[in-house]
Amino acid sequence: MEEKLKEIVERTFCKLESVIDNKELAALKVEILGKNGELTGILRNLKDLPADKRPMAGKLVNDARTRLEEAFDKKFKKLYEEELSKKLDEEKIDITIEGKDRKKGGLHPLTIVKNSVIDFFSSLGFMVVDSPEIETDYYNFKALNTPDNHPARDMQDTFYITSNILLRTQTSAGQIRTMEKIKPPIKMINIGRVFRADDVDATHSPVFHQIEGLVVDNHITMCDLKGILDRFARFFFGENTKTRFRPSYFPFTEPSVEVDASCPYCGGKGCRVCKGTGWIEILGAGMVNRNVLKNCDINPDEYTGFAFGIGLDRITVIRYGINDMRLEFENDLRFLKQFN
Ligand code: PHE
């Protein structure tokens, strides 16, 4: 029996060497140590031995069993570790590989400027309102003190949809809509697209943008208009900017002015940007005409106000030194990327 045990142990050790996976290992275990396994068979036969030989034989079988079980456990662990390291090798993540470049969007220069203008005026307590791009003749002209056949209509080439409906030529239409809804004190800005039948070139576009402003309250004077617009010019073009107010004409303001800022490129000495004048026109403004207040049921003897219209495209091209306004509308990424 001793011989037989030795043979089983050695044979099993030998076989274990060549086992390559868990399935094979389990089969071998059943074959030797299972209920009907070889070693179990020997154990069962012990009862046939004479009583004095049984303890010694039992010990031999149990020793063999322990050695075999240890060997199976060891092999099991080895297989497990081999498999694990194989998996880890295969699934290795190379953290040095360069990541995918995610493109980030950015704001259009007009939006950047619009946002900074909103920041400025809202910090002074102006509310931001919206008004329609498709307007009636009443809001775009008539209520703004520009009746039919008024010569001032020729100042703006209008896209008419019907004889009464048009694409707004100026955000001033929003003044009327605001004063119809809100009574003084009023402090609002209204930024948006306006349309005029102009040919496209480096400084003209049939679509452009205006920033309308309106203040109506008791005792509003030309000083308020000058103060706020001068501060705006310094905020936008730099603290050293000077402003110049020239007399002008708009039907809905009286008196009317056009405002120039000293050229931010040459500081007023004269250069190519300001065409040698030292000044750049940035907006039109004036004290709200009494007739306009009356059209909105606001008593002009009680209230006064001022209004202004800033060319958003104009101040944007000046700020960034853009030499062709068409770039603002073409959405060429090579151009847009420079602003972010
Ligand atoms: N709406 C005028 C324009 O388009 C600008 C303006 C606005 C002038 C408000 C005075 C007051 O030319």
Side-chain angles (χ1 to χ4, degrees):
M1 190 202 71
E2 219 181 315
E3 282 302 306
K4 177 84 180 145
L5 275 176
K6 221 173 138 193
E7 190 271 323
I8 293 176
V9 170
E10 265 161 25
R11 175 161 40 86
T12 309
F13 273 25
C14 204
K15 275 192 179 168
L16 272 177
E17 290 284 316
S18 58
V19 163
I20 52 156
D21 62 25
N22 273 325
K23 214 172 130 198
E24 238 182 86
L25 185 69
L28 184 60
K29 200 171 177 182
V30 169
E31 193 184 309
I32 308 295
L33 299 174
K35 237 201 293 170
N36 299 314
E38 263 185 273
L39 201 79
T40 321
I42 293 179
L43 200 61
R44 219 176 272 137
N45 291 339
L46 282 183
K47 65 179 187 312
D48 301 333
L49 286 176
D52 61 330
K53 292 241 165 89
R54 264 185 241 158
M56 186 56 194
K59 188 178 176 311
L60 283 175
V61 179
N62 277 332
D63 283 352
R65 190 180 185 89
T66 311
R67 282 181 68 200
L68 284 170
E69 274 172 352
E70 277 170 10
F72 273 106
D73 282 353
K74 217 170 120 195
K75 183 71 184 184
F76 179 78
K77 274 191 198 127
K78 197 170 161 224
L79 284 177
Y80 173 76
E81 271 157 22
E82 274 170 13
E83 197 178 333
L84 187 69
S85 73
K86 196 173 140 210
K87 250 194 186 158
L88 287 176
D89 272 351
E90 280 170 6
E91 293 170 10
K92 194 156 63 182
I93 294 171
D94 183 353
I95 57 166
T96 65
I97 291 177
E98 228 177 280
K100 275 191 190 149
D101 183 19
R102 287 213 199 163
K103 299 260 185 307
K104 236 176 42 186
L107 294 179
H108 191 282
L110 283 174
T111 308
I112 297 172
V113 169
K114 173 180 156 178
N115 289 346
S116 96
V117 169
I118 290 177
D119 278 351
F120 174 81
F121 283 104
S122 55
S123 78
L124 294 176
F126 284 65
M127 65 192 284
V128 182
V129 307
D130 240 336
S131 71
E133 290 175 352
I134 299 175
E135 266 298 4
T136 61
D137 184 275
Y138 177 78
Y139 287 102
N140 196 78
F141 289 123
K142 222 166 281 169
L144 285 163
N145 201 34
T146 320
D148 287 343
N149 305 320
H150 191 289
R153 288 198 177 210
D154 295 341
M155 290 162 73
Q156 302 171 357
D157 247 329
T158 310
F159 285 116
Y160 282 93
I161 296 169
T162 68
S163 60
N164 188 38
I165 297 173
L166 45 82
L167 297 182
R168 68 175 174 194
T169 59
Q170 49 190 355
T171 44
S172 303
Q175 287 186 32
I176 306 300
R177 290 191 175 270
T178 302
M179 287 188 281
E180 279 182 352
K181 278 194 226 108
I182 308 171
K183 296 303 158 196
I186 296 169
K187 265 166 122 181
M188 74 82 172
I189 53 168
N190 172 22
I191 306 181
R193 284 193 287 190
V194 297
F195 308 84
R196 291 184 199 176
D198 273 332
D199 287 335
V200 176
D201 65 27
T203 53
H204 291 89
S205 163
V207 185
F208 57 103
H209 303 79
Q210 287 186 330
I211 305 154
E212 191 80 13
L214 175 71
V215 174
V216 184
D217 202 349
N218 303 115
H219 313 302
I220 297 294
T221 71
M222 193 87 180
C223 285
D224 300 302
L225 178 158
K226 286 189 77 174
I228 284 196
L229 293 177
D230 185 73
R231 263 189 79 176
F232 171 74
R234 282 188 282 129
F235 160 80
F236 194 78
F237 294 115
E239 267 310 307
N240 296 326
T241 306
K242 290 183 188 59
T243 47
R244 176 171 86 168
F245 293 73
R246 286 180 287 108
S248 185
Y249 174 78
F250 301 102
F252 35 90
T253 47
E254 182 59 38
S256 302
V257 290
E258 272 172 318
V259 181
D260 301 336
S262 56
C263 175
Y265 288 93
C266 60
K269 284 193 216 71
C271 67
R272 258 185 50 221
V273 177
C274 57
K275 298 195 181 84
T277 64
W279 297 97
I280 292 177
E281 186 193 322
I282 55 169
L283 61 93
M287 301 306 292
V288 180
N289 191 301
R290 290 173 61 88
N291 292 336
V292 174
L293 294 174
K294 274 192 226 157
N295 289 342
C296 302
D297 275 332
I298 293 174
N299 181 354
D301 295 323
E302 193 182 347
Y303 294 105
T304 50
F306 70 83
F308 56 87
I310 306 173
L312 177 62
D313 313 81
R314 205 172 161 71
I315 62 173
T316 302
V317 298
I318 295 168
R319 169 184 270 190
Y320 292 116
I322 300 167
N323 54 15
D324 192 328
M325 199 172 150
R326 284 169 283 204
L327 287 165
E328 284 185 358
F329 298 97
E330 283 167 357
N331 286 331
D332 185 329
L333 285 178
R334 290 168 302 179
F335 169 72
L336 295 177
K337 270 186 190 152
Q338 297 176 45
F339 300 89
N340 291 286

